[in-house]
Amino acid sequence: PPRSTPKPSSAASDVYKRQAYLDVPITGHDVAICMTLLKIARAKFGDPKPDTYIDASAYMSIAGECKERENED
């Protein structure tokens, strides 16, 4: 069956709130890495579902693409 559209992540929102609060720039790469770490923590300490691992690999792919775009600029 097709996967549902992901809901907005509160973790990603938290990253941007920290950026605003700390006045420190946070890149798309940073957000993708943080989301990967969240999935890794869930796999180790939480109740991981099969899509936990799929999502973690997808976030790493996104991080790689963000880094490539940063290097092009």
Side-chain angles (χ1 to χ4, degrees):
R3 294 181 61 185
S4 62
T5 303
K7 296 177 184 173
S9 169
S10 63
S13 175
D14 288 346
V15 170
Y16 289 111
K17 288 175 190 170
R18 286 186 189 101
Q19 176 177 337
Y21 177 75
L22 298 173
D23 196 28
V24 174
I26 298 175
T27 66
H29 177 262
D30 295 329
V31 173
I33 293 295
C34 287
M35 293 303 296
T36 302
L37 293 171
L38 174 101
K39 295 297 181 173
I40 291 169
R42 182 172 293 153
K44 181 162 177 73
F45 300 109
D47 181 24
K49 307 291 187 245
D51 71 339
T52 298
Y53 304 97
I54 295 166
D55 292 348
S57 64
Y59 283 124
M60 283 303 294
S61 178
I62 292 167
E65 290 201 18
C66 288
K67 186 55 83 174
E68 282 183 22
R69 289 181 185 189
E70 287 175 16
N71 291 339
E72 289 173 359
D73 293 339

